[in-house]
Amino acid sequence: MLTPLKDCLKDLLTTACCPCCKREIERCPRQGPFCRACWQHFALPARGLHGIHPYRWTAAGWYDGELRQLILQLRRHPDTRLLCALTEGLGATLPNDAVLVPIPGWKTESRSNPLPLMICRSLQRSTRSLLKRSRPTVGQHHLNRQQRMANQRGSFAVEPGVPVPRSVRNPEGEPLELWLVDDILTSGATAQAAMDALNDQGVKVSGVICLGRTPLGRTR
């Protein structure tokens, strides 16, 4: 409660700066927190991208060009302020009571991708770490869609001891919207395997939130 209030007061008392180039700006709703040059440079839609294939998804932009390079940079050098800026439009499309589930990476914890959990935190929604990797998978960079689906099939399980159905219901007992969170959505194989693990526990997933959606027809 105190942290958001502190951030609001800080914004009121300081000059707004672009989180990417650090230049002073006058905020424009269409551009979000970015300056016009950076907003155009990364080709960011004002309220993100949305689609329904292979399932419902929302992304900050296309995983291509400069935005692709920025996401890869954030994997190596996470920047909380920049992540909050990229996800601002995504948060505007989510229900306030949405429950977020970060998709865990396949690498060891010390080398794991930090972005899914950081995206959850930047969206400021209830987060549940319900999933774990049940078996190792290989890197998917050079795999086609069928190979990716086979590679990920059965690769997730629900963490033992977690009361999944109860954890995604509000106090009145009504089911909440549960969204999977990852940094990139390409073929959809990883998210589909995560959905399957939750569906096996009787939990319905509303969709996937990500930073970048690979342009349709590409596998990487």
Side-chain angles (χ1 to χ4, degrees):
M1 185 74 175
L2 291 177
T3 300
L5 180 60
K6 181 180 178 182
D7 291 341
C8 289
L9 290 173
K10 183 178 179 181
D11 289 340
L12 289 172
L13 297 173
T14 60
T15 304
C17 294
C18 174
C20 186
C21 67
K22 314 302 181 187
R23 284 182 287 204
E24 293 184 6
I25 58 171
E26 290 187 12
R27 288 202 55 167
C28 168
R30 188 183 178 199
Q31 298 165 196
F34 293 94
C35 69
R36 183 173 182 81
C38 288
W39 175 66
Q40 292 178 332
H41 187 63
F42 296 115
L44 295 170
R47 293 180 64 84
L49 299 171
H50 310 275
I52 58 173
H53 181 77
Y55 30 68
R56 188 178 172 195
W57 58 267
T58 299
W62 293 112
Y63 184 61
D64 194 23
E66 298 300 329
L67 182 58
R68 178 179 182 274
Q69 295 304 314
L70 179 62
I71 293 172
L72 293 176
Q73 175 188 322
L74 285 170
R75 277 189 173 187
R76 297 188 296 269
H77 308 288
D79 183 321
T80 302
R81 186 165 181 254
L82 192 48
L83 267 176
C84 287
L86 283 173
T87 57
E88 185 173 291
L90 302 180
T93 66
L94 278 175
N96 289 332
D97 59 355
V99 176
L100 306 181
V101 178
I103 295 180
W106 56 273
K107 295 182 180 179
T108 59
E109 186 173 350
S110 62
R111 299 172 58 228
S112 184
N113 179 8
L115 292 184
L117 185 56
M118 292 185 70
I119 294 168
C120 292
R121 290 170 178 164
S122 69
L123 289 169
Q124 298 183 0
R125 297 296 194 280
S126 177
T127 299
R128 301 284 189 274
S129 295
L130 301 178
L131 296 167
K132 68 172 185 175
R133 288 282 179 167
S134 59
R135 64 171 178 81
T137 55
V138 300
Q140 303 198 130
H141 190 64
H142 297 291
L143 302 183
N144 62 32
R145 188 174 191 278
Q146 288 185 330
Q147 292 169 330
R148 290 178 181 228
M149 295 296 288
N151 183 45
Q152 293 292 340
R153 191 173 296 118
S155 62
F156 291 96
V158 174
E159 283 282 9
V162 177
V164 181
R166 183 178 298 176
S167 69
V168 292
R169 293 177 181 273
N170 62 24
E172 289 73 36
E174 296 295 327
L176 302 174
E177 285 202 30
L178 187 149
W179 288 78
L180 293 173
V181 179
D182 209 351
D183 57 340
I184 303 164
L185 176 63
T186 301
S187 67
T190 302
Q192 185 61 64
M195 284 185 190
D196 291 343
L198 289 165
N199 288 339
D200 288 345
Q201 298 293 321
V203 177
K204 180 181 178 181
V205 177
S206 297
V208 178
I209 293 282
C210 60
L211 293 180
R213 173 65 161 115
T214 300
L216 304 181
R218 296 190 195 175
T219 59
R220 56 186 177 184

